[in-house]
Amino acid sequence: MKLSVTIDRDEDGIWVAECPSIPGCVSSGQKPNRGIENIKKAIALCLEVRAERGLPLTVETQQVEVGLMPSLRYQRA
């Protein structure tokens, strides 16, 4: 199963990884690759728990287009 994940550095410098398709499935690591390793483990555990509880394994996610205000167009991520 392939799932999309996000990874971003928080204000303390920790890399936080999240799987948007699985509500509440979040992990972290000191380095980006560690965050990815940890989210893979978290995904497996979240899927197991959701299956045990009879919940859908994933929820639908979609991409939407949003127009940016002029002041935000030139900021870098």
Side-chain angles (χ1 to χ4, degrees):
M1 174 183 279
K2 276 191 175 183
L3 296 167
S4 295
V5 297
T6 61
I7 187 154
D8 191 26
R9 189 176 244 173
D10 73 7
E11 60 276 357
D12 296 322
I14 302 297
W15 290 91
V16 178
E18 182 174 5
C19 182
S21 298
I22 305 173
C25 190
V26 179
S27 193
S28 63
Q30 294 291 328
K31 296 181 179 182
N33 63 329
R34 190 66 175 156
I36 295 295
E37 288 175 26
N38 290 341
I39 195 66
K40 288 179 181 181
K41 294 174 189 173
I43 288 169
L45 292 171
C46 287
L47 290 173
E48 184 179 324
V49 169
R50 291 180 72 82
E52 287 173 359
R53 294 183 179 177
L55 298 170
L57 295 182
T58 60
V59 297
E60 183 178 341
T61 61
Q62 296 183 5
Q63 290 185 341
V64 296
E65 188 170 335
V66 178
L68 293 179
M69 297 183 314
S71 63
L72 297 176
R73 286 192 181 136
Y74 302 105
Q75 292 183 2
R76 298 184 83 183

